[in-house]
């Protein structure tokens, strides 16, 4: 095995580790934001947060999370395709 092949393998492993770490960070951030939305009683504008408003806020957060998830899936497909080459 040449040194060029070793660097290629290590680079792919680093890409996969970066994907996993960023996925965990996004998951923790999503959970913390969901908890924050459900626990607050008044938002920054002074509006009292009722359950329907909290659910709307969670839906907006979920749409954003889906966009991030699609980005991660695309990243995963690219990394896996590079590993197969």
């Amino acid at each position: 095995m040449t040194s060029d092949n070793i660097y290629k393998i290590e680079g792919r492993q680093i890409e996969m580790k970066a994907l996993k770490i960023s996925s965990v960070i996004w998951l923790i951030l999503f959970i913390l934001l969901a908890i924050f939305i459900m626990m607050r009683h008044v938002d920054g504008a002074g509006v009292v947060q009722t359950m329907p408003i909290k659910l709307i806020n969670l839906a907006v957060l979920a749409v954003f999370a889906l966009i991030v998830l699609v980005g991660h899936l695309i990243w995963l497909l690219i990394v896996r395709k590079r590993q197969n080459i």
Side-chain angles (χ1 to χ4, degrees), residues 8-19:
K8 288 180 183 177
I9 292 170
E10 287 178 0
R12 292 178 186 141
Q13 290 173 348
I14 290 172
E15 287 177 349
M16 191 59 83
K17 285 182 183 179
L19 178 66

Side-chain angles (χ1 to χ4, degrees), residues 23-56:
S23 297
V24 169
I25 289 171
W26 275 110
L27 180 64
I28 291 170
L29 184 64
F30 175 76
I31 291 170
L32 289 175
L33 285 172
I35 291 170
F36 174 73
I37 288 172
M38 293 307 291
M39 298 301 277
R40 68 182 180 172
H41 300 290
V42 179
D43 68 1
V47 177
V48 176
Q49 296 292 294
T50 62
M51 187 54 73
I53 294 174
K54 289 180 182 182
L55 292 176
I56 291 170

Side-chain angles (χ1 to χ4, degrees), residues 55-68:
L55 292 176
I56 291 170
N57 290 335
L58 284 176
V60 171
L61 181 62
V63 169
F64 177 70
L66 285 175
I67 294 170
V68 171

